[in-house]
Amino acid sequence: MTTTTRNTVKLGMTDLQVSPVAFGTWQLGGEWGQFDEDAAITAIRQARELGVNLFDTAQGYGFGASERLLGKALRDDLDNRRDEVVIATKGGLRMTDDGLIRDSSPEWLRSGVEASLRALDVEHIDLYQVHWPDPQAPFAETAGALQDLVDEGKIRHVGVSNFDAAQMAEFAQTRPVETLQPPYDLFRREIEEEILPYSREHDIGVLIYGPLAHGLLTGALDENTTFAADDWRSGAPFFKGDAYRRNIQVVRELERFASDRFGVTVSQLAVAWTLANPAVQVAIVGARSRRHIEDSVAAAKLSLSEGDLERIDRIMAGAVPLSGPSPEMMPE
């Protein structure tokens, strides 16, 4: 295996020095079914021991559940070494009687920041991201409200998630977009066309989510895998049918390549592949156990050559691409 020393990277135009693998906490909000809270806390603390200093969460992950658990797990760091950990959270989703909606109005974002500060039990948030673009809220109002919160010291940096290039450009007319959090994995590559080039041109730090294609690239799934009713994947179209079975075969071919070429798991290869893109600084990886986070952190040390990337592209030629506004299946 070829390794590179990559302990921290500068996140775009920000002054944040972060680990190239971040710990994501969507799975701790309840949308992936039940989980062991003690094991999750152990995994978060193990991530810190392994050098992870960036932790990504969101108000919408259980509306406080994920943030509270993260705050509990990192309590010692947050109380005694606050400058050593980078907390990223997101806002702009609101639960109504009719379900989850996008709401990036200044009023809701402000109340969301206050709620996140309480749930995390911190005095400031290092990176606050608009979770989804809200077609009902002018970007100028959203950006202005977030700048006010920066001026007040409640948040340090402002980013967006799931925005396209045109939306970022419009947002940036009011205040800079410092970071972007888009989905990106071997089966989902739309952002390579416009979004990543725009981000690189404007020095926007890119933290990609879903590098393991929501479990598809772990090697743990097969044609007979079923998901619990409270796991969002049970209703996702790309986890059933002929396309799913075809992609399982592609993953098996990737597994063989990862093992024969590097002696690593397919999940390590998948994470390393996202970080091989020069426009990407960070891969956000969820983990519910110590072993999962060890696997992901090791992936940041795997260096892929041009030949390796070409071989991976040839394998992926037989795949069915994933598309759509997953993972939250958010309405427009």
Side-chain angles (χ1 to χ4, degrees):
M1 184 195 310
T2 303
T3 60
T4 56
T5 301
R6 198 181 183 196
N7 295 324
T8 63
V9 292
K10 183 174 178 291
L11 188 57
M13 68 181 77
T14 76
D15 60 0
L16 299 172
Q17 291 288 333
V18 298
S19 49
V21 168
F23 192 105
T25 63
W26 180 34
Q27 74 282 6
L28 308 183
E31 291 86 352
W32 295 75
Q34 298 299 311
F35 65 92
D36 184 322
E37 181 174 313
D38 289 340
I41 289 174
T42 298
I44 291 168
R45 291 174 178 167
Q46 173 70 0
R48 281 294 295 132
E49 291 175 15
L50 292 171
V52 172
N53 75 335
L54 175 56
F55 295 83
D56 181 77
T57 184
Q59 181 189 23
Y61 298 165
F63 283 87
S66 174
E67 290 175 322
R68 283 191 293 273
L69 183 60
L70 182 62
K72 179 179 179 181
L74 293 177
R75 193 76 266 146
D76 184 47
D77 278 311
L78 294 173
D79 287 346
N80 300 304
R81 293 170 294 278
R82 181 64 184 89
D83 61 342
E84 294 183 14
V85 290
V86 177
I87 302 296
T89 192
K90 297 178 283 292
L93 297 182
R94 181 163 56 87
M95 186 61 75
T96 70
D97 291 340
D98 297 322
L100 198 61
I101 66 168
R102 306 181 189 191
D103 185 350
S104 294
S105 64
E107 299 79 16
W108 182 248
L109 285 178
R110 178 171 286 276
S111 68
V113 167
E114 297 289 359
S116 292
L117 289 169
R118 289 192 299 271
L120 289 159
D121 193 13
V122 294
E123 293 184 352
H124 72 270
I125 293 161
D126 299 294
L127 173 61
Y128 198 78
Q129 305 151 101
V130 181
H131 208 147
W132 284 86
D134 176 6
Q136 307 304 317
F139 289 144
E141 292 184 6
T142 297
L146 292 173
Q147 183 58 51
D148 289 343
L149 289 159
V150 171
D151 294 341
E152 294 167 24
K154 293 182 178 180
I155 61 180
R156 289 183 58 201
H157 299 282
V158 172
V160 297
S161 180
N162 302 299
F163 276 49
D164 63 27
Q167 290 164 337
M168 287 190 283
E170 184 179 344
F171 190 104
Q173 291 177 11
T174 303
R175 68 97 62 211
V177 174
E178 296 177 82
T179 67
L180 169 69
Q181 186 175 146
Y184 188 48
D185 64 66
L186 279 161
F187 292 99
R188 187 185 298 274
R189 300 178 62 166
E190 306 100 307
I191 66 170
E192 293 176 350
E193 296 174 16
E194 294 183 1
I195 293 173
L196 288 184
Y198 177 90
S199 299
R200 197 173 185 193
E201 179 184 353
H202 293 86
D203 199 20
I204 295 170
V206 177
L207 315 85
I208 64 95
Y209 71 81
L212 301 181
H214 321 303
L216 191 55
L217 285 162
T218 62
L221 307 182
D222 62 29
E223 295 88 345
N224 301 312
T225 299
T226 58
F227 301 99
D230 59 354
D231 186 320
W232 73 276
R233 291 174 293 181
S234 64
F238 39 78
F239 281 101
K240 58 186 69 171
D242 291 341
Y244 171 66
R245 286 188 287 272
R246 184 167 155 188
N247 285 344
I248 287 291
Q249 293 303 314
V250 169
V251 172
R252 287 182 179 142
E253 194 171 346
L254 288 170
E255 277 187 293
R256 287 191 290 272
F257 173 66
S259 177
D260 294 346
R261 173 75 172 91
F262 299 107
V264 301
T265 64
V266 68
S267 60
Q268 286 175 294
L269 181 73
V271 172
W273 177 86
T274 65
L275 292 172
N277 191 307
V280 174
Q281 281 86 53
V282 175
I284 301 171
V285 181
R288 299 198 232 189
S289 73
R290 184 176 179 132
R291 180 180 61 80
H292 291 157
I293 192 61
E294 287 175 344
D295 203 47
S296 297
V297 169
K301 299 177 181 177
L302 180 63
S303 179
L304 303 179
S305 69
E306 286 299 319
D308 296 328
L309 295 172
E310 290 171 4
R311 174 64 193 282
I312 291 169
D313 280 345
R314 289 197 296 273
I315 294 172
M316 293 305 299
V320 179
L322 305 184
S323 62
S326 64
E328 288 97 333
M329 302 296 179
M330 279 298 300
E332 295 297 329

